Amino acid sequence: MKTFLAVIIALGLTSTLPAENSPEYLRFFDPSKGFKPAQTNLTEAFLQAAASLEHFGSPEPYLRHMLSEHERIHKKAVAKFGHEAVTILPDSLTAERIEKLIVNWNKLSPVLGLESFARDVGQDVRLGIRGVWDKGTTAVTLLNEHQQKVLKDLSSPEPRSFGFQQLKEQAVKELDLDKAVLHLEDYQVQRRDAVMNADLVNAKFIGLQKTLRKKLPPEKADQITAAIKGTFLDVAMMVHSELEAGIVEWSLK
């Protein structure tokens, strides 16, 4: 694993920049080609997931893809190391839980207009990573730095101590998601684009909550909003697990 770590770092961790004349999200997810095998580049993994949301308007295809990827890679690990090999799939993202999540999403989607909501969130995430000039924002730096730490953590003989929770906490800090008021004119372009699009995603959930509160009791509206927000967080967690699964697969070679 340590040798693999050195190879990955030597190859570089920045996202591969697509051709500028490629059509929008199709550069990161082309439905005619399907999803890529589990990737070892966290930026590319997030861009693919975001683009699939833009295309499908649903988290279901990506989640099902990654459940299959985890199963495929786990089988390879078992073949090499025996049944003591453990899956890298997070405990909270079992096939049963994902199935319930998908069922609930599909029930709520036509009622709440979640298809267009998911497409918009996917676009905001993509633009938050690529930026107005399509050259990458500080979100890429954040993801690359986190990726290096995950690689080192996975290569260590010690128990896991670094993962999605740390990425979420760092994103809140770096993207100013904990601030009530933003002064975007004070930011440099690369940071502004990342912060602005993160704020747009946050604003969409606030807008959804307000809309639901006009039709439902506040407690019920808040519960539904939290469930939908939790679904997108689960997608982000699955993206993080894609990085880990990709690393595991490379280590089996």
Side-chain angles (χ1 to χ4, degrees):
M1 180 65 84
K2 290 184 181 296
T3 301
F4 168 70
L5 169 62
V7 171
I8 289 294
I9 293 177
L11 288 174
L13 296 167
T14 56
S15 171
T16 302
L17 297 180
E20 289 185 3
N21 59 353
S22 296
E24 294 297 330
Y25 69 80
L26 293 180
R27 295 175 297 162
F28 309 108
F29 172 68
D30 185 343
S32 67
K33 298 178 181 178
F35 290 99
K36 299 174 183 177
Q39 301 175 90
T40 56
N41 186 304
L42 189 56
T43 299
E44 295 293 342
F46 265 105
L47 285 169
Q48 176 179 242
S52 74
L53 286 174
E54 285 190 81
H55 180 74
F56 293 112
S58 168
E60 179 177 357
Y62 176 74
L63 291 174
R64 290 198 184 282
H65 160 68
M66 279 310 303
L67 283 176
S68 297
E69 279 296 278
H70 278 289
E71 183 179 1
R72 178 182 67 80
I73 293 169
H74 181 55
K75 287 179 179 179
K76 292 177 70 172
V78 169
K80 186 168 184 176
F81 298 114
H83 290 285
E84 62 183 29
V86 296
T87 178
I88 205 77
L89 182 69
D91 293 339
S92 62
L93 296 179
T94 62
E96 293 76 15
R97 185 174 183 278
I98 293 299
E99 195 62 43
K100 289 180 180 178
L101 182 155
I102 290 171
V103 168
N104 289 335
W105 175 276
N106 289 336
K107 285 181 179 178
L108 290 172
S109 183
V111 178
L112 302 180
L114 295 183
E115 182 176 328
S116 60
F117 187 89
R119 292 182 194 275
D120 289 344
V121 169
Q123 177 175 286
D124 289 340
V125 172
R126 174 174 59 81
L127 294 176
I129 294 173
R130 296 302 308 141
V132 67
W133 299 114
D134 197 28
K135 296 182 181 297
T137 67
T138 54
V140 175
T141 302
L142 185 158
L143 293 171
N144 284 340
E145 290 177 351
H146 180 83
Q147 179 176 313
Q148 293 185 57
K149 294 175 182 177
V150 171
L151 286 165
K152 292 178 181 177
D153 189 52
L154 280 172
S155 70
S156 171
E158 300 298 322
R160 293 293 307 280
S161 61
F162 196 83
F164 178 71
Q165 182 61 32
Q166 286 74 23
L167 175 61
K168 187 166 67 170
E169 292 172 358
Q170 192 65 21
V172 169
K173 178 182 177 182
E174 293 294 329
L175 302 179
D176 290 342
L177 290 170
D178 54 348
K179 291 184 178 180
V181 178
L182 299 174
H183 299 283
L184 294 174
E185 66 276 8
D186 296 333
Y187 294 80
Q188 292 185 338
V189 174
Q190 287 186 320
R191 186 150 189 263
R192 181 202 66 195
D193 289 351
V195 171
M196 178 180 67
N197 283 283
D199 186 59
L200 286 174
V201 172
N202 193 44
K204 284 179 173 59
F205 287 109
I206 294 173
L208 176 63
Q209 183 181 39
K210 289 180 178 179
T211 298
L212 290 175
R213 281 191 166 205
K214 294 178 182 178
K215 303 176 181 179
L216 300 169
E219 184 178 347
K220 186 65 174 178
D222 295 350
Q223 182 182 20
I224 293 174
T225 303
I228 295 170
K229 189 172 185 178
T231 298
F232 284 95
L233 284 173
D234 284 343
V235 171
M237 187 185 298
M238 189 67 93
V239 174
H240 192 278
S241 78
E242 177 176 351
L243 167 67
E244 297 174 325
I247 293 171
V248 169
E249 182 167 33
W250 270 99
S251 73
L252 295 173
K253 294 182 179 180

